Amino acid sequence: KAPATITAYNNQHFSDYGMDVINDLLFTLPGFSQGQDYDRTTVSFRGFFDSWSNNHILHLIDGIPMNDNAYGSAYTWMQPLFTSKTVEVIRGPGSALYGSNATNGVVQMNTFSASDLESSVYARVNLLGNNGAVRHQFLTGAEKDNLDFVLGYSFYKTEGNEYETYDGSNRGAYTLTNSAGRPTLLKQTNRDSKDDNYLWAKLTVGDEWMFQYHRQSWDFDTGHGWVFWVPDLDEEMNESRDIWSIKYQSDI
């Protein structure tokens, strides 16, 4: 009913190109590019890099909105793709049709059913990658009569991009001196390690009812800290969210 540039991708595409999360897909598409909001990598659109306005992408899983309640952000930096049979992307403003969360586009994830998996267990394990990255993914399902159940789990951990950098808080500016005897800023190692867990379950009853549970939890450090104060000590920043959804569809 409305003109839009829409592209669709299947799970084999993600596997062939080593794509793990939504960001990996969007960064390959025209108009999208990489941004940053403190601890997380965001998706800028058409050169708009403001971190607070990034990730205003309507994120749908089986037609159900999954955006953050407070800011409308899409969790594209850690939402795994392995549970999706296909993903559809609308590139460009869609808020007039889909609401304000679709300012920069729409991502619709269509998840697997047990009938797609043939009651098998699918696993993908990356033991060790760059910056100590580790990723585990498992997906399985079962069906009986008009019941279809799928269960998926993903774990990711990385040390991030850590290096020595100047602390901008002015601590040590008058106690440390360089070879010329002039004051110098304190140097600290920024903290960029992070990990996240994702548990997903879906129960479909016939062709009408769908029940889903999403459990996301993540730990992270603040990199350069807040206002360029590089942390002296280990950090413990924890967030999580639990989402239950019920969907009913019928020819009304």
Side-chain angles (χ1 to χ4, degrees):
K1 297 181 179 180
T5 303
I6 305 174
T7 50
Y9 305 88
N10 59 24
N11 193 270
Q12 187 63 46
H13 178 86
F14 311 139
S15 178
D16 290 344
Y17 287 90
M19 297 176 177
D20 294 309
V21 294
I22 295 177
N23 276 1
D24 297 335
L25 173 63
L26 296 184
F27 291 161
T28 68
L29 303 182
F32 294 110
S33 57
Q34 182 171 321
Q36 188 76 21
D37 186 11
Y38 291 100
D39 58 282
R40 60 184 184 267
T41 303
T42 58
V43 180
S44 65
F45 180 70
R46 293 184 179 177
F48 189 58
F49 289 97
D50 174 55
S51 60
W52 285 106
S53 301
N54 281 338
N55 280 40
H56 274 272
I57 299 168
L58 178 60
H59 177 210
L60 304 171
I61 296 182
D62 294 319
I64 301 169
M66 299 291 291
N67 293 68
D68 177 80
N69 291 336
Y71 302 107
S73 299
Y75 288 45
T76 59
W77 67 93
M78 69 174 182
Q79 179 66 45
L81 294 169
F82 81 105
T83 60
S84 299
K85 183 177 180 180
T86 60
V87 173
E88 304 157 8
V89 180
I90 299 178
R91 305 197 307 269
S95 55
L97 189 61
Y98 301 108
S100 58
N101 285 344
T103 302
N104 296 345
V106 180
V107 174
Q108 155 86 330
M109 305 175 71
N110 305 300
T111 61
F112 280 105
S113 298
S115 57
D116 301 316
L117 304 176
E118 300 176 348
S119 300
S120 299
V121 176
Y122 291 83
R124 180 180 177 185
V125 178
N126 297 337
L127 295 178
L128 189 62
N130 293 338
N131 299 326
V134 176
R135 185 181 295 275
H136 304 152
Q137 297 176 339
F138 302 93
L139 185 65
T140 188
E143 58 177 332
K144 182 177 177 60
D145 298 331
N146 67 333
L147 300 179
D148 188 297
F149 179 73
V150 187
L151 180 68
Y153 175 74
S154 173
F155 171 76
Y156 175 67
K157 182 178 181 180
T158 178
E159 297 173 359
N161 183 25
E162 295 188 343
Y163 55 91
E164 278 200 344
T165 182
Y166 287 103
D167 181 88
S169 65
N170 289 324
R171 292 175 297 167
Y174 302 104
T175 58
L176 301 177
T177 58
N178 57 20
S179 57
R182 297 180 182 138
T184 185
L185 290 175
L186 184 67
K187 246 189 172 183
Q188 301 267 47
T189 299
N190 72 316
R191 302 182 183 276
D192 194 40
S193 63
K194 56 180 71 73
D195 65 78
D196 63 74
N197 293 267
Y198 178 63
L199 175 66
W200 169 71
K202 181 179 75 170
L203 174 65
T204 305
V205 182
D207 297 325
E208 296 180 338
W209 289 97
M210 178 185 295
F211 304 88
Q212 293 196 36
Y213 172 63
H214 304 262
R215 166 67 179 179
Q216 287 181 310
S217 61
W218 58 101
D219 305 333
F220 60 94
D221 294 339
T222 58
H224 285 89
W226 312 109
V227 198
F228 302 103
W229 184 305
V230 181
D232 299 273
L233 306 174
D234 289 338
E235 300 177 287
E236 191 65 26
M237 308 289 288
N238 302 315
E239 293 188 43
S240 64
R241 65 176 187 166
D242 295 88
I243 299 175
W244 292 87
S245 67
I246 302 175
K247 179 181 178 180
Y248 175 80
Q249 60 185 12
S250 181
D251 295 330
I252 300 176

